[in-house]
Amino acid sequence: MRLDLYKTFKSEYTAPRTPVVVVVRPARYLTIAGRGGPDQPDFGRAVGALYAMAFTIKMARKSSGRDYAVSKLEGLWWGQRRGRLLIDEPTSRWRWQLLIRVPPFIGERDRRAAVSTLLDRGKDPLVRQVKLSVLKEGRCVQLLHVGPYDAEHESIQRMADFTRARGRRLRGKHHEIYLSDPRRVPAHRLKTILRHPVT
């Protein structure tokens, strides 16, 4: 049977449209990092390299009898000034790390083999920059944002207010999980889980 990480870790993806607290266990991801807004060419190129790696590794594992579903695109976002919400910084100062969650049995050997396969096929050499890492977030506040990405500031502010009202504070990096494909879904219907670790 094909492994589905969203079903396996269902409680971590609980996200109503009002803020809730969830506990997220350590998780393994394919990652690639950069800076600037999502409208920059480097961002789109990084997305392509990350997906190429994710599907190449998945198909290799499927061929060996251990199939799983490729997870959604995710992203960590932060600015240059510690303690400021991302929405308070110009996009030129944004930094990001794009993520695709993978099963715990995916290792460095899988990553290296996928890089070699893609380079042999003449794919973008940026795939060399895709790494494997473990993200440890622990207690987080999250909600489901429905609407365009440029309206997320309202949801982010609600998360910050919710956190302060409970005597906690935001820590670490803002995390987004993209449930919708913006190429196919109108902006007002886009669904994104917004997550932020808290103390």
Side-chain angles (χ1 to χ4, degrees):
M1 291 183 62
R2 187 171 71 162
L3 173 65
D4 186 328
L5 294 173
Y6 297 117
K7 291 180 179 178
T8 303
F9 302 102
K10 184 177 180 179
S11 65
E12 297 177 10
Y13 297 96
T14 297
R17 295 180 70 168
T18 54
V20 294
V21 174
V22 297
V23 176
V24 181
R25 287 163 282 190
R28 180 164 294 191
Y29 291 88
L30 290 169
T31 72
I32 188 169
R35 63 178 62 201
D39 56 337
Q40 298 301 308
D42 287 351
F43 185 86
R45 189 177 165 209
V47 171
L50 189 61
Y51 268 115
M53 287 287 288
F55 278 100
T56 300
I57 293 172
K58 175 260 191 333
M59 293 307 296
R61 281 294 187 152
K62 181 178 180 180
S63 296
S64 65
R66 204 164 189 184
D67 194 15
Y68 63 92
V70 173
S71 297
K72 303 286 187 183
L73 179 68
E74 306 184 26
L76 299 179
W77 296 86
W78 65 100
Q80 293 185 3
R81 292 183 60 183
R82 187 173 182 178
R84 287 184 67 171
L85 292 176
L86 186 68
I87 55 177
D88 296 329
E89 297 231 24
T91 58
S92 60
R93 295 183 180 177
W94 289 5
R95 299 183 182 184
W96 43 262
Q97 185 178 39
L98 299 176
L99 317 162
I100 292 180
R101 189 170 182 173
V102 294
F105 55 77
I106 299 301
E108 182 61 20
R109 181 178 296 179
D110 298 288
R111 189 197 70 82
R112 289 197 303 266
V115 169
S116 179
T117 296
L118 288 166
L119 293 179
D120 287 347
R121 293 174 182 169
K123 301 300 182 181
D124 191 337
L126 192 66
V127 295
R128 291 192 183 99
Q129 295 185 26
V130 176
K131 307 299 181 186
L132 267 175
S133 62
V134 174
L135 184 61
K136 300 177 181 179
E137 292 181 298
R139 185 187 302 272
C140 299
V141 59
Q142 70 182 26
L143 58 68
L144 178 67
H145 172 80
V146 179
Y149 301 132
D150 59 10
E152 286 182 3
H153 60 279
E154 299 172 4
S155 295
I156 292 171
Q157 189 62 58
R158 285 162 53 207
M159 292 166 65
D161 294 343
F162 173 88
T163 302
R164 282 195 295 269
R166 281 150 184 79
R168 298 184 179 274
R169 61 181 177 82
L170 300 176
R171 62 173 179 83
K173 298 168 183 174
H174 174 70
H175 189 164
E176 300 185 351
I177 302 166
Y178 306 106
L179 304 181
S180 305
D181 184 342
R183 299 169 300 178
R184 300 175 182 174
V185 178
H188 69 280
R189 293 178 54 195
L190 291 172
K191 294 182 178 180
T192 309
I193 295 176
L194 305 184
R195 173 186 292 168
H196 208 117
V198 298
T199 58

